[in-house]
Amino acid sequence: MATTTGNTDASDEGGISGWAKRVIANPEGLYRSLFYAAMVFFLVTTLFPFYWLAVLAVTPEGNLLAGSFLPQLGGFTIPLPTPKGFNPEAFITVFEQVPFHLYMLNSFALAVTTTIIVLIVASLAGYVFGRLRFPGRALLMLGILAISYFPPAAFVIPLFKAFAGNEPLLLPFTQIPLFTPPRLLNTPGSMILPFSALFMPLSIFILTTFYGQIPDGLEDAARVEGTTRLGALFRVIMPLSAPGVATASVLTFIAVYNEYFFSSIMATSPEAAKWSPIVGGILSYQTQYTTQYNLMAAASIVGVLPVVILVVVAQERIVSGLTSGALKE
């Protein structure tokens, strides 16, 4: 009776205090409103850039700099930009003006190669951290994870000098030359090596979590049958940790495919024949005197399509791998 009276009083009361009392009495409505607000914010911030790219891509080149993209209706300006014309040929011209398919192939090859290297090394490291007990294990894992937070700019200058192959590498803290490395700039090695190092810690952490939860009895049974630890890893542990392996693979592939910083520095030439990735192809539509924004927008949309398809196909596996990672004996 007292509760009914209190609710009636809160519903009758206006202002902020009345609204606060109603929210306290029925918080589900507030949670639902916050959820919808967060979803709208997320969709606007993530999808609007693609919408803006689509508007630029289908707008004829001659109309790109002719006035505002915001339409006028009855004296009011509509805040959502619309195309000034319709010319979808930009999606074909991007392949005719430069070999953009080769730039995409370069990015795909770099991403696949890096993913394979990361999976092999991270699987071995994940096995050691997840299934073996040794002194300093937690401290070493902490050090590996800390490396992933280092800014890439901290590595780029020494790596660029090393990959240039002009100077010999010196023994740390001395002037004693060790050897002169080969020139790797404009080759896959100059990008795959830093990519593998940067994206390795996250994969090690993911695989360590999964490998550590495999029951010891399964590995012991495999070893009783005559296999080695390495054989048990690739024949028993990795197949049982498929969600973790898939998650590490997809995240590494997407990160390398979209990588910009090292790609733009290590590929000093924007030619596709010298392993310049997608970013090099997009920048090829910009010359000293002109910038073809519609082609750059169309190329950006085409270049991101493989990642979008991969995320749509593997989203369930990625979410389950990041959130669960549990195997029960």
Side-chain angles (χ1 to χ4, degrees):
M1 186 64 182
T3 304
T4 304
T5 303
N7 292 338
T8 303
D9 294 339
S11 61
D12 295 338
E13 188 175 353
I16 298 178
S17 61
W19 175 81
K21 290 180 180 178
R22 290 192 293 273
V23 168
I24 294 174
N26 185 20
E28 287 78 11
L30 177 63
Y31 297 155
R32 192 179 301 109
S33 300
L34 292 176
F35 172 75
Y36 289 137
M39 287 298 298
V40 170
F41 176 80
F42 176 77
L43 291 176
V44 170
T45 55
T46 55
L47 296 182
F48 180 78
F50 292 100
Y51 172 75
W52 179 237
L53 286 175
V55 169
L56 291 177
V58 299
T59 298
E61 186 177 1
N63 298 339
L64 287 173
L65 302 179
S68 172
F69 280 86
L70 300 180
Q72 300 283 335
L73 182 62
F76 296 97
T77 300
I78 301 175
L80 191 63
T82 55
K84 293 189 293 185
F86 185 71
N87 181 28
E89 293 182 1
F91 291 96
I92 301 176
T93 308
V94 293
F95 295 99
E96 296 176 343
Q97 188 160 321
V98 299
F100 191 69
H101 59 287
L102 295 182
Y103 291 100
M104 294 182 63
L105 184 61
N106 289 345
S107 291
F108 185 81
L110 292 173
V112 170
T113 306
T114 304
T115 301
I116 293 173
I117 295 175
V118 167
L119 273 188
I120 294 175
V121 179
S123 292
L124 298 175
Y127 179 85
V128 172
F129 283 108
R131 305 196 62 79
L132 303 181
R133 300 293 179 267
F134 54 89
R137 170 174 166 269
L139 186 62
L140 191 56
M141 173 60 80
L142 181 63
I144 292 176
L145 291 178
I147 293 175
S148 63
Y149 291 98
F150 284 7
F155 307 106
V156 66
I157 293 179
L159 285 178
F160 188 87
K161 292 178 66 177
F163 294 157
N166 297 326
E167 302 176 0
L169 294 180
L170 303 178
L171 192 66
F173 308 109
T174 68
Q175 295 299 320
I176 302 175
L178 294 176
F179 64 94
T180 301
R183 181 178 176 82
L184 295 179
L185 295 180
N186 294 323
T187 66
S190 63
M191 289 170 267
I192 290 175
L193 289 175
F195 291 164
S196 301
L198 287 175
F199 303 123
M200 187 78 70
L202 177 61
S203 296
I204 292 176
F205 177 76
I206 293 174
L207 295 179
T208 297
T209 304
F210 276 83
Y211 291 174
Q213 296 177 358
I214 298 292
D216 293 336
L218 295 177
E219 183 181 0
D220 294 339
R223 296 189 64 188
V224 168
E225 294 294 330
T227 187
T228 61
R229 282 188 179 274
L230 202 58
L233 168 63
F234 289 103
R235 295 175 182 174
V236 177
I237 296 176
M238 284 188 69
L240 292 176
S241 305
V245 176
T247 302
S249 304
V250 173
L251 293 181
T252 302
F253 180 88
I254 294 175
V256 175
Y257 189 85
N258 295 328
E259 207 279 338
Y260 171 78
F261 183 71
F262 277 97
S263 301
S264 61
I265 295 176
M266 298 303 176
T268 59
S269 174
E271 300 175 20
K274 295 186 177 180
W275 288 94
S276 182
I278 283 180
V279 61
I282 295 176
L283 294 178
S284 298
Y285 303 109
Q286 181 181 16
T287 65
Q288 185 177 0
Y289 303 103
T290 61
T291 300
Q292 296 172 296
Y293 294 107
N294 59 334
L295 297 186
M296 296 178 75
S300 299
I301 294 175
V302 173
V304 81
L305 284 181
V307 175
V308 173
I309 296 173
L310 178 62
V311 171
V312 171
V313 172
Q315 60 171 341
E316 184 177 353
R317 186 60 62 93
I318 295 173
V319 173
S320 64
L322 290 176
T323 56
S324 61
L327 291 173
K328 297 180 180 179
E329 187 171 12

